[in-house]
Amino acid sequence: MYEDFRLKIYGLVEKPVNLTFEEIRSLPKYSITFDFRCIKGWEIKDSMWAGARVIDVLEIARPLADAKYVIFKANEYTITLSLDRILKGDVILAYEYMNKILPKEKGGPLRLVFPSQECYESVKWVNEIEVTDVYVE
């Protein structure tokens, strides 16, 4: 599944990379469970997600000292998080939901997930990560 997928990591990094789905799955697996809320009023209690911590993924590309922000991209949709927020260690690129491989309709192969987020911040279909020193809205 997802054999043709590549996650591009570039910008203020020592080593720009294109990671396969299997390379990401080979990283230590991190699981989180939290109530997933939407600003439209719905909620999914005890959502179970698992995947690679973003900090572990970024370590492969080695962010430069002046890196401050990370932009997660899924085609035209983007969200920016501070590197400080990512360093907390609970921001993941989920590839599993409820103990099953994340299907395309739920955001597979990779979905940005972290506790205390609103669902609109949970970027589906992440395929690029840009490391930068500028905050992008």
Side-chain angles (χ1 to χ4, degrees):
M1 185 175 232
Y2 302 127
E3 294 84 15
D4 295 332
F5 175 79
R6 298 292 179 275
L7 175 66
K8 180 180 179 180
I9 305 173
Y10 62 99
L12 296 178
V13 296
E14 287 181 30
K15 179 184 161 193
V17 293
N18 287 290
L19 301 175
T20 66
F21 184 65
E22 288 307 315
E23 287 172 322
I24 293 163
R25 287 189 66 203
S26 72
L27 295 169
K29 185 176 171 180
Y30 183 82
S31 299
I32 55 176
T33 301
F34 63 97
D35 296 344
F36 195 65
R37 294 181 180 87
C38 181
I39 59 174
K40 292 184 178 182
W42 58 264
E43 176 179 38
I44 301 172
K45 294 274 190 193
D46 299 323
S47 291
M48 296 185 308
W49 303 88
R53 294 184 324 153
V54 171
I55 195 64
D56 294 335
V57 173
L58 288 177
E59 191 56 38
I60 295 168
R62 296 188 301 275
L64 298 174
D66 51 347
K68 293 181 181 152
Y69 300 99
V70 179
I71 306 168
F72 298 87
K73 301 180 180 185
N75 300 317
E76 296 86 39
Y77 187 79
T78 65
I79 189 168
T80 303
L81 295 178
S82 71
L83 195 52
D84 287 340
R85 173 64 185 94
I86 290 166
L87 288 172
K88 289 182 179 180
D90 62 353
V91 180
I92 68 170
L93 289 172
Y95 51 76
E96 289 183 7
Y97 176 66
M98 306 302 270
N99 296 315
K100 295 182 181 168
I101 292 293
L102 189 63
K104 186 97 172 147
E105 62 271 10
K106 294 242 186 246
L110 297 177
R111 182 172 183 160
L112 180 67
V113 175
F114 53 97
S116 73
Q117 73 185 57
E118 295 291 342
C119 69
Y120 72 89
E121 296 174 314
S122 175
V123 180
K124 295 179 180 180
W125 313 297
V126 173
N127 60 0
E128 289 186 19
I129 295 176
E130 181 180 0
V131 180
T132 181
D133 59 352
V134 178
Y135 183 84
V136 176
E137 295 219 19

